[in-house]
Amino acid sequence: MTTKDKRVVLAYSGGLDTSVAVRWLTHEQGMEVIALVADIGQGGDWAATRERALAAGAVEVVVVDAVDEFARDFVGPAIVANARYEGKYPLVSALSRPLIVRHLVEAARQHGAGAIAHGCTGKGNDQVRFEVSAGALAPDLQVLAPVRGWGLTREQSIDYARRFGIPVPVTKDSPYSVDQNLWGRTVECGVLEDPWCQPPEEVFCLTTPVATEAKEMVVSFERGLPVALDGRPLPLRRLIEEVTATVGSFGWGRIDMVENRRVGIKSREVYECPGALALLMAHADLEDLTLERDLSHEKARLEPRWAELVYDGLWYSPLKLALDAFMAESQRHVTGDVRLRCEVPGRCFVAGRRSPVALYDYQLATYEAGDAFDQSLSEGFVRLWGLGVQTWAARQEAE
Ligand code: ARG
C-alpha cells in the first residue's frame, strides 16, 4: 500500500463512535488516521479531545476553528431561506455536514490522504450528507464508514473503548446521542425512542428556564442577515450565541417531533434551538414588512424545497445553488429591526418591526382621516375582479 492508500482523514467528534473508529481503522485496517475536529460552536475541551484521539491511535489531530465560516456560509443562507425541515427542524446537523466535508477534503489534500471517513451509522441522514457532499467536492477520494460496517452495539463499543484504554466520556447509563453546534442541539436515543414518552428534563441544556423577568432584544437585519443586537454591531456568530443564551434562559426553543429521515425511517427527535427559532421568527416577520406579495408567496413555496434538499444531503447540488441565487436576490430589501420579546414563563414573540424600506405604508393602511387611498377606485376593481365568477353564477341559475 502507498502512503496515500493508507492515509485517511476521519471526521472526529471526540465521542464514543469516532474514538472507536480511530482504533478500528488503525489496528484492524492498518490505516494511518488523521483525526479532524471541526469546531462549529459545539463547545468542548479541545485538549482532552486531542488526547483522546491520540490515545485511540491517531497519527495526527487537526482542530479547525470553523465557527465563523459555519455562521457565514451555512447558517446565514438558512436564515435567509427560513429553513425548517418539515416545517419544524432548523437543520442543525444537516447544515454542518457539508462544512465538515469541505474541511475533510482540504485536509486530505494537505496530508496526501486517499480517503476520508465518518462515524455515522447506516440508519441516519448524516451518512448521506457526508457521502453525497464528498462525491460532489472530491469524487476521487474514497469514503470509509467504519461504524456502518462493524455492527457493534453501543455496549460493545463502550467495552471495546475500555479494553483498549480509550478514555471516552460515556457510560452505559447515559444513553442519549447528542449533536450540537452554533445553531442548536439535537438529542436522540434512550427513552426518547418511545414517541409517547415525554422528554425528561435532563435531556435539555440550552433551554433551562431560569429567567425571572421579561426581556426585549432588538435584532437589526441587513439584506436578510442579522447584523446587530440592541444597536451593537456583532459578527453573526456572536449574535447567535447571545440570542441563544437569552431566549434559552426563558426555556423557549424546544422541538419534539417525529421526523421522516431520508433513508425511510421515521424517528422521534428532540431539538433545542432557542437562537435559531427566535432569529428565524424575526427574519420571517421582517420579510412580511418588506417583501412584495408575489415574491413573498413564491419564496414561501420554495423554502420547504430548500430545507428538504439540505436535509437530504444535497447542499452541493445544482438545484440548491440555483435556489440560493433566488433567495439572495429576494433579500435586497430585507433590512430593518425586529423587537423580540421574551416573557416568563417560556414565551418569545415578535413585539414589533420597522424598516427604512418597508412596503407597509401608513397612509395607505390607516383608517384615520386624511389618508392617501382613493376608495372610489375600489368599486371598479372589485367589480372586474368578480366578473368571471358573476358570469359563471348567472349561467348556473339559467340551467
Ligand atoms: N435528525 C436530525 C438530522 O437528521 C439530527 C441528527 C443528529 N445527528 C447525530 N449524529 N446525532 O439532521
Side-chain angles (χ1 to χ4, degrees):
M1 276 207 306
T2 65
T3 313
K4 192 169 175 184
D5 295 331
K6 268 181 35 186
R7 219 169 251 183
V8 58
V9 183
L10 168 73
Y12 184 68
S13 69
L16 174 66
D17 280 341
T18 53
S19 297
V20 172
V22 172
R23 159 91 207 183
W24 181 275
L25 288 166
T26 308
H27 290 264
E28 324 276 335
Q29 310 289 315
M31 309 283 294
E32 279 175 19
V33 179
I34 294 154
L36 181 127
V37 184
D39 177 0
I40 45 174
Q42 63 271 51
D45 176 348
W46 303 132
T49 304
R50 183 183 291 274
E51 282 314 304
R52 197 172 305 136
L54 293 173
V59 292
E60 183 153 354
V61 187
V62 184
V63 182
V64 277
D65 176 351
V67 193
D68 287 302
E69 178 190 353
F70 182 55
R72 182 189 67 230
D73 294 351
F74 296 86
V75 175
I79 295 174
V80 158
N82 294 321
R84 292 201 218 181
Y85 178 64
E86 296 186 334
K88 298 176 197 161
Y89 164 49
L91 298 174
V92 177
S93 305
L95 291 171
S96 73
R97 273 35 182 183
L99 170 139
I100 296 171
V101 172
R102 196 192 259 180
H103 286 279
L104 289 173
V105 169
E106 204 174 292
R109 300 299 184 219
Q110 245 167 36
H111 292 87
I116 59 176
H118 62 71
C120 308
T121 69
K123 287 189 159 191
N125 295 310
D126 289 323
Q127 55 174 344
V128 179
R129 298 165 185 152
F130 271 112
E131 291 173 40
V132 175
S133 297
L137 295 186
D140 59 303
L141 292 180
Q142 224 195 315
V143 186
L144 308 179
V147 175
R148 194 166 58 196
W150 70 41
L152 297 178
T153 64
R154 196 171 164 79
E155 300 236 331
Q156 288 167 332
S157 296
I158 293 172
D159 290 338
Y160 186 94
R162 293 250 167 84
R163 186 144 36 99
F164 296 105
I166 307 167
V168 287
V170 274
T171 62
K172 290 177 187 170
D173 35 56
S174 75
Y176 303 112
S177 163
V178 172
D179 189 34
Q180 186 169 344
N181 61 47
L182 178 69
W183 206 221
R185 185 167 174 273
T186 77
V187 196
E188 297 168 323
C189 302
V191 290
L192 301 178
E193 287 178 354
D194 175 359
W196 177 251
C197 170
Q198 182 180 344
E201 206 50 35
E202 66 181 23
V203 308
F204 298 106
C205 80
L206 301 178
T207 54
T208 308
V210 289
T212 51
E213 267 173 54
K215 186 166 163 45
E216 254 184 53
M217 283 174 287
V218 176
V219 187
S220 303
F221 288 83
E222 249 173 53
R223 290 178 166 245
L225 292 173
V227 293
L229 200 56
D230 297 323
R232 281 174 300 131
L234 284 175
L236 183 54
R237 170 248 182 108
R238 295 278 169 228
L239 190 146
I240 294 169
E241 285 167 355
E242 285 198 27
V243 175
T244 296
T246 301
V247 176
S249 73
F250 287 79
W252 190 88
R254 298 178 177 181
I255 302 162
D256 172 0
M257 69 187 282
V258 175
E259 134 191 332
N260 292 291
R261 289 189 185 161
R262 179 61 284 186
V263 295
I265 299 172
K266 276 194 192 292
S267 98
R268 197 286 184 87
E269 305 278 334
V270 172
Y271 301 114
E272 339 180 60
C273 315
L277 295 186
L279 288 169
L280 289 170
M281 175 167 69
H283 174 261
D285 195 281
L286 185 61
E287 285 192 332
D288 292 343
L289 189 67
T290 54
L291 289 192
E292 179 274 335
R293 180 178 185 262
D294 279 330
L295 176 56
S296 164
H297 290 186
E298 196 56 35
K299 182 168 183 285
R301 274 189 275 271
L302 294 172
E303 286 167 357
R305 193 73 183 102
W306 192 96
E308 196 174 78
L309 290 167
V310 173
Y311 185 89
D312 287 351
L314 296 169
W315 181 272
Y316 303 107
S317 70
L319 177 55
K320 151 74 174 44
L321 282 173
L323 289 180
D324 279 338
F326 172 89
M327 298 293 171
E329 169 63 25
S330 74
Q331 300 299 294
R332 287 168 71 141
H333 299 106
V334 185
T335 294
D337 302 329
V338 179
R339 274 170 66 199
L340 275 180
R341 185 171 170 84
C342 299
E343 286 179 359
V344 181
R347 292 223 302 147
C348 176
F349 57 94
V350 171
R353 70 291 285 158
R354 68 180 173 200
S355 164
V357 286
L359 294 177
Y360 176 87
D361 183 334
Y362 175 81
Q363 289 303 323
L364 290 178
T366 184
Y367 285 97
E368 304 295 324
D371 63 73
F373 189 88
D374 179 354
Q375 298 199 31
S376 70
L377 292 176
S378 292
E379 189 185 340
F381 166 75
V382 176
R383 246 207 253 163
L384 294 188
W385 173 254
L387 185 58
V389 174
Q390 197 177 328
T391 310
W392 166 80
R395 190 191 59 192
Q396 303 286 101
E397 219 148 86
E399 272 171 9

